[in-house]
Amino acid sequence: MNIKNLCLWLMLSLTVSVSSYAKETAFRLSTFIKPSFQQITLEIDPDSPTFSGETTITIDVTKATDTIGFYQKDLTIQEAYLSNGDTKIPLAVTSHDYEIQHGKASQKIAANRYSLHIVFDGKFNTSSDGMYLSKFEGLNYIFTQFEDMYARRAFPSFDEPGFKIPYQMTIRSPEKHTVLSNTLVKKRTVKDGWQTVEFNKTKPMPTYLIALAVGELDSYDIPYLNVPGKIYTPKGQAQRTKFAAKHTAGILQSLENYFGSSYPYEKLDFVAVPNFTFGAMENVGLVTYRSSLLLLEDEPRLAEQGNTLNVIAHELAHMWYGNLVTMAWWDDLWLNEAFASWMASKVMMELYPEQNFKGQLVQEGAFGADASPTVKPVKKIVKSQTDVMDGLGLNYSKGESILQLIESLVGEKSFQKGIQKYMKNNAFKNAQADDLWEVLSTVAEFNVPAMMKTYLEQPSYPLIEFATNGEISQSRYHLKGSEVKEQTWIVPLSISYKKNGKVSRTNLFLDTAKTTVAELAEADWIFPNENAMGYMRWKVSPKQLAALLEDVSVLNVREKKSLLYNTQALFSAGKIELAELMTVMDTLVDDKDPMIGSAVVSTLNDFLYLVDKDNEAMFGQFAAKKLMPWFERLGVEDQPNDSTDTTRLRGAVYGILSRYANTPQVEKISAELASRYLKDPTSVPRSIATRALRNMARFSQQDWFTILRDFYIANTDANIRGTVSRAMIFTEEQQVEKALDFALSDHVSPANAITNVYVAMSSLDDKTLFYAWLDKNFDELSKKMPAFHIARMPEYFSTSCHAGNIKLAEKFYQDKKANFEGMARSYDIANYSAKLCLSLKEANQANFNRYLQQATQN
């Protein structure tokens, strides 16, 4: 899964008596009942609110029992029984915790092979999980999203990743529809306006990778594949997939070369889904994507290509990581996502160097969440779907960062050799992280399992401090004012240092709280993070930092970015004063590399929690002083020779200036860009268009809510709608309320509702209006949104830096958080984050204001 998707952990060994089901681990199915094959038949009409089906699962009962366990959710079981030859054993089905069903027989079920037959029916949902209804341009479609625990909403099954078996799907549907699943069609018959489509049997795979699509779909061939492949779209959209189709074969070839093995399945289809919660999903042979990723212009702008190419690479990497070799349980989901993200980055570096993935510091996307005292380890105990989604983003960012770190230590060729061996050993089977560490240990010169446990089986990351006498110590990094449990890590350090006028390097593993490296004593400066590969923060003396800034040209671009981000993190931790951070920023602000410019803008954005109505004008002046030289060089128009980094910097600089430094020059440019975009959305880059529209919505006297709403409704293109919805940030409360109400309308899909609400409320410093609206509309909003969004609602809506808002959130969630699984945990995270932000604001506000006054007077 992408953009987003899953994590999890460990199971207890099962000790089940011959006649009792009660002693099993509560959140897992029995280990003595094992499925080996499942046939599924579904009757699906997208124009009907209901569906029906039956399934036959071949199971081996290895110990006598009177109960067969399986999963289902929101289905009605019409009949369930076991058969063995002429023997038929009826089962009375009851529901239990964790969506486990008990099919109880009136007699003892002897150890043997049986067929488990279940007849069922259900209702399609519209919240984009399970098997769901999606409406687009007046037509109905059925799509699926089964990761992580949603296959059970479409058919009864042994819905755990450890049960990796073949499936055979048959779908009955009105003749007019295209019907898709994981494999090629074996047989299709038509009678009385209905078709019956029987698909080939799959290779062994878990339930979460099963997929289907039914509707009036069009298609476009993916060229140059060694297996059949098409991109399917809602009716009338297929010609817009040329860009994705053009690049897919090259990405797949790159992956095959890395793994040393061919794509392992019989076809490769993509589907552009108009209502999709995540970015994409790696279903075997039928990969689903948010339509915005596939429905593009024939040749998108360079900066708008990267996301699509990266997501395709991520999903295709899953065909090996996750699909060919599957986690045994959800506690190792991080491994699926981390490896797919890491592999996608390698593909992007190889095939699309112009996207400059080599310059990305992936760990910076993880450090914020991973610093919280409330964070859980990447590898954690998982019992339910909400456990899977808890801390989801760290599966991708932290996991990829750690894999990059290991590869840098082992070496690319040795690392690749280990991965190929791991894939060969576990093909079409399940594996655990320990299986991978064992293989990598054969190509590494250090204890891989021991190091990985310190990063993945405990939360957060270390702060490494260097004393002038050569002493090195580690502690757990945390923000100023928070309390954390101390930990230690096995930290690989690649250290550059200058001593007696000479730059030298040394490497070591810090595996204790303290050590001393004599050669570092009295060093002029120390930089302990070669090529910015470390997953840590670090601190040297003020004198050594000043000396490093004098020699900053010895650092490469990644290292300069890391230096700035690291210094900002030290300020947030209360380890340095604001002036020291600003000195680093001032040293780098004139760097000509656009990646450094983007890092400066990012650092400025990190101060926004200290910006309010009282100092907003001063901050705008300060930002203009720092960024106007970039703005005057870059402007707002793409140039023929622009790099991706230049384009990204242009959007970032214009974004902060148009929000906080709305000079007559910026205002005039924004009005021109907004007008041009509304006439022709292809005429302005999306990142620039959003900021121009946002500027007009904030500062213009026109009724920009009506302008943007009407434009949104008139355009069904997902990229246009995304551009417009992200611009709906208003200052006038009546327009804010209208924008919030619009999120509940049928024009906004369930998967996008949470974004529209978040954008609409983001302009409110005092969120009294928002909580009043949310209280009034909570039932309607919660019925519309996917379960994942409901559970995480506090983290989306209630992270604040305002004491009054914290009290409003406490009151609002008091009687709601216990009614939605996962919401209480999300509320605790949001509440702690808000209180910590408030504490930081109180500690830093006066000093920040003084700095702004001085900086804007000079």
Side-chain angles (χ1 to χ4, degrees), residues 747-807:
H747 300 294
V748 178
S749 72
N752 292 326
I754 198 165
T755 299
N756 283 56
V757 172
Y758 174 80
V759 171
M761 55 80 76
S762 64
S763 66
L764 300 171
D765 290 332
D766 177 355
K767 293 187 168 49
T768 301
L769 179 151
F770 171 67
Y771 281 105
W773 178 89
L774 193 58
D775 195 54
K776 178 182 176 182
N777 295 284
F778 178 78
D779 289 344
E780 185 176 356
L781 182 63
S782 60
K783 288 176 182 176
K784 180 174 185 174
M785 290 195 307
F788 167 51
H789 288 170
I790 299 168
R792 298 292 162 220
M793 188 182 291
E795 290 167 85
Y796 291 125
F797 296 157
S798 302
T799 52
S800 176
C801 226
H802 187 289
N805 292 339
I806 294 173
K807 292 181 179 179

Side-chain angles (χ1 to χ4, degrees), residues 197-212:
V197 183
E198 181 182 346
F199 293 91
N200 286 340
K201 183 178 178 180
T202 73
K203 292 183 177 180
M205 65 187 209
T207 46
Y208 79 86
L209 294 174
I210 297 172
L212 58 92

Side-chain angles (χ1 to χ4, degrees), residues 466-472 516-518 520-522 544:
F466 295 82
T468 55
N469 64 356
E471 183 180 87
I472 307 174
T516 298
V517 179
L520 296 181
E522 306 304 324
Q544 288 175 323

Side-chain angles (χ1 to χ4, degrees), residues 5 14 79 108 127 164 230 250 299-300 335 373 468 506 578 676 690 730 802 807:
N5 307 338
L14 302 179
E79 183 181 22
K108 190 73 70 177
S127 61
K164 193 171 182 182
K230 296 178 182 290
E299 286 297 329
L335 192 58
T468 55
T506 188
L578 180 62
R676 193 196 315 169
T690 289
F730 305 102
H802 187 289
K807 292 181 179 179

Side-chain angles (χ1 to χ4, degrees), residues 732-746:
E732 202 275 315
E733 289 191 349
Q734 188 178 16
Q735 290 196 319
V736 173
E737 282 196 280
K738 288 180 179 179
L740 290 168
D741 289 340
F742 183 61
L744 298 177
S745 73
D746 291 339

Side-chain angles (χ1 to χ4, degrees), residues 553-572:
S553 60
V554 304
L555 304 181
N556 64 31
V557 173
R558 283 178 58 92
E559 292 167 343
K560 289 177 184 178
K561 286 171 60 180
S562 177
L563 172 63
L564 179 55
Y565 292 139
N566 185 78
T567 311
Q568 196 279 333
L570 294 177
F571 170 70
S572 296

